[in-house]
Amino acid sequence: MRSRYLGTVFIFFFILFAVARLAQAQQPLATAETNWSGVALDVMTVERKGSVLTVKWAVRNHGPARIQVIFDLLSDHATTYAVDQEHGAKYYVLTDKEKHALASASEYTGSGTGISEAIEPGATKRYWMKLPAPPPQVKKITVFFSKTEPFEDLAITDK
């Protein structure tokens, strides 16, 4: 009887721990309102693996209307990029052999130069991009997105 009770207590605490870890893992590194009415942007992760930095973010439409968001990644005036303020280096999204952005797929004019997507009220969309990684000694980076303030001093997680 006692071992059954201990087993139940163990399972309860294991589930509680697992739920707490899951909730913690989904918390954004930083959040800011955007200049798109009723839209917030959450930076979820900034991870360095070898020579590549992966940035993942979510866009939440908490407003009453459908919103078209655009993240320009590759044009001459790209608005989504990262900056290593310690070394004064600017990093743009990486491209494949066809010069398409290594980033979330989008209907952005079919050119692979950015992300453009409609987000319905109450919906959240998640995106990612890959950039050249700063040197290993750089532990924080600033990320710029369209229509919002810079996300400064985001911690880089090494994988």
Side-chain angles (χ1 to χ4, degrees), residues 24-153:
Q24 181 184 26
Q26 295 181 3
Q27 294 298 316
L29 296 175
T31 298
E33 288 295 317
T34 70
N35 289 329
W36 290 299
S37 182
V39 175
L41 191 146
D42 301 319
V43 176
M44 304 305 290
T45 62
V46 178
E47 297 177 344
R48 175 176 32 218
K49 185 174 182 182
S51 62
V52 176
L53 187 74
T54 301
V55 177
K56 295 179 183 176
W57 71 96
V59 179
R60 295 179 288 116
N61 183 354
H62 54 84
R66 180 180 197 221
I67 297 291
Q68 186 78 20
V69 297
I70 297 173
F71 298 99
D72 192 356
L73 302 173
L74 292 178
S75 75
D76 292 338
H77 304 290
T79 57
T80 306
Y81 54 89
V83 172
D84 166 7
Q85 292 184 339
E86 186 177 331
H87 295 97
K90 193 172 186 179
Y91 301 98
Y92 292 102
V93 70
L94 293 168
T95 59
D96 63 15
K97 290 179 184 177
E98 290 80 32
K99 304 291 183 209
H100 295 131
L102 294 179
S104 296
S106 171
E107 72 267 10
Y108 194 70
T109 66
S111 64
T113 62
I115 298 166
S116 176
E117 191 164 16
I119 304 177
E120 298 296 330
T124 298
K125 299 284 184 154
R126 295 184 179 270
Y127 304 101
W128 59 270
M129 65 179 169
K130 296 200 177 275
L131 307 106
Q137 66 270 22
V138 175
K139 302 299 180 192
K140 293 182 179 182
I141 197 145
T142 298
V143 181
F144 293 80
F145 295 97
S146 306
K147 304 260 188 182
T148 192
E149 62 195 49
F151 288 87
E152 296 186 21
D153 298 324

